[in-house]
Amino acid sequence: DAGITQSPRHKVTETGTPVTLRCHQTENHRYMYWYRQDPGHGLRLIHYSYGVKDTDKGEVSDGYSVSRSKTEDFLLTLESATSSQTSVYFCAISDGDTMAKNIQYFGAGTRLSVL
Amino acid sequence: GNSVTQMEGPVTLSEEAFLTINCTYTATGYPSLFWYVQYPGEGLQLLLKATKADDKGSNKGFEATYRKETTSFHLEKGSVQVSDSAVYFCALSRTQGGSEKLVFGKGTKLTVNP
């Protein structure tokens, strides 16, 4: 298994509170991604990183921010959690620039409930 | 834009039945195509991939052929097992900001009964 650890695995929080999810990798891969998975939507990209301090938005980035201060850690922050952000969040990593040659490895996910 | 459409589930089969999960795509250029599988309570893992037209990806008895003329990448397995019960996602690669990303279909849940 790819060395990807997501924490926490489960979290319940209240509307309006900030929440930070952590993704930690031991593979030294350059690329890291945050997705959310919702019924009827599949996986949607929130943000991604292509190196330390290099990040960019995905298709559903509103209400989320990310940071990557070290190769191994990619943090996702919900600045003020809302019920619409209740979801399962997945981190993924890949080691190359060309998806045709590389694959994404996924963590086990974080189940977040915003009440 | 780039998108993936896969057959809606859920799909319920008996053990040893033949499986087809349809996937079609819309894309500019020539994307790579993927099938990912998600077992209950786990993250996604790559099942197979194809990088150019007419390529056939295969793994664990599953196959899919990259058909450019029909923009399709249908997943097939000749004889499913209970252990194949999972959610299957079709995906394509696309370029954004100089890096390639994955665009996923909505997933198809497969249940195989003994």
Side-chain angles (χ1 to χ4, degrees):
Chain A
D1 291 345
I4 307 169
T5 304
Q6 291 187 231
S7 58
R9 293 293 314 280
H10 302 274
K11 186 169 181 66
V12 179
T13 191
E14 294 184 350
T15 299
T17 61
V19 176
T20 296
L21 309 183
R22 180 184 184 230
C23 178
H24 177 78
Q25 60 146 329
T26 58
E27 306 297 322
N28 200 37
H29 283 2
R30 179 182 173 191
Y31 289 85
M32 299 186 75
Y33 309 82
W34 277 108
Y35 293 90
R36 60 179 289 174
Q37 183 179 26
D38 304 288
H41 290 279
L43 272 78
R44 294 179 290 176
L45 182 66
I46 305 171
H47 282 280
Y48 67 97
S49 169
Y50 46 96
V52 174
K53 297 186 179 180
D54 292 324
T55 65
D56 206 347
K57 296 178 179 180
E59 60 182 306
V60 290
S61 59
D62 287 348
Y64 301 95
S65 62
V66 289
S67 65
R68 192 169 178 200
S69 60
K70 299 184 289 185
T71 298
E72 57 266 36
D73 289 327
F74 192 33
L75 304 181
L76 176 71
T77 297
L78 287 64
E79 294 141 10
S80 177
T82 68
S83 58
S84 64
Q85 294 176 311
T86 293
S87 186
V88 181
Y89 292 85
F90 287 98
C91 173
I93 65 175
S94 69
D95 68 353
D97 289 347
T98 306
M99 285 304 297
K101 300 178 183 178
N102 294 280
I103 64 175
Q104 289 187 11
Y105 300 91
F106 284 79
T110 294
R111 185 173 295 275
L112 176 68
S113 296
V114 183
L115 305 179
Chain B
N2 298 298
S3 65
V4 173
T5 302
Q6 59 182 104
M7 65 184 286
E8 293 187 17
V11 174
T12 302
L13 297 173
S14 298
E15 207 165 22
E16 299 184 0
F18 184 86
L19 169 70
T20 298
I21 300 178
N22 290 336
C23 172
T24 58
Y25 67 90
T26 301
T28 54
Y30 303 97
S32 294
L33 301 174
F34 306 82
W35 277 101
Y36 278 80
V37 59
Q38 183 181 29
Y39 298 104
E42 299 183 8
L44 279 70
Q45 56 186 275
L46 180 71
L47 180 59
L48 53 84
K49 68 176 182 179
T51 58
K52 62 182 187 295
D54 300 325
D55 268 2
K56 177 185 285 188
S58 61
N59 186 25
K60 300 181 180 181
F62 291 88
E63 294 183 340
T65 301
Y66 190 141
R67 299 289 188 196
K68 182 171 177 291
E69 62 276 12
T70 55
T71 62
S72 65
F73 193 55
H74 303 322
L75 182 68
E76 296 182 337
K77 186 175 185 181
S79 177
V80 294
Q81 305 301 312
V82 173
S83 57
D84 295 326
S85 297
V87 181
Y88 293 82
F89 293 91
C90 185
L92 63 78
S93 62
R94 66 178 177 90
T95 301
Q96 175 185 331
S99 300
E100 294 201 37
K101 313 292 175 300
L102 290 178
V103 175
F104 287 90
K106 295 181 178 180
T108 302
K109 183 177 182 180
L110 170 66
T111 300
V112 181
N113 295 318

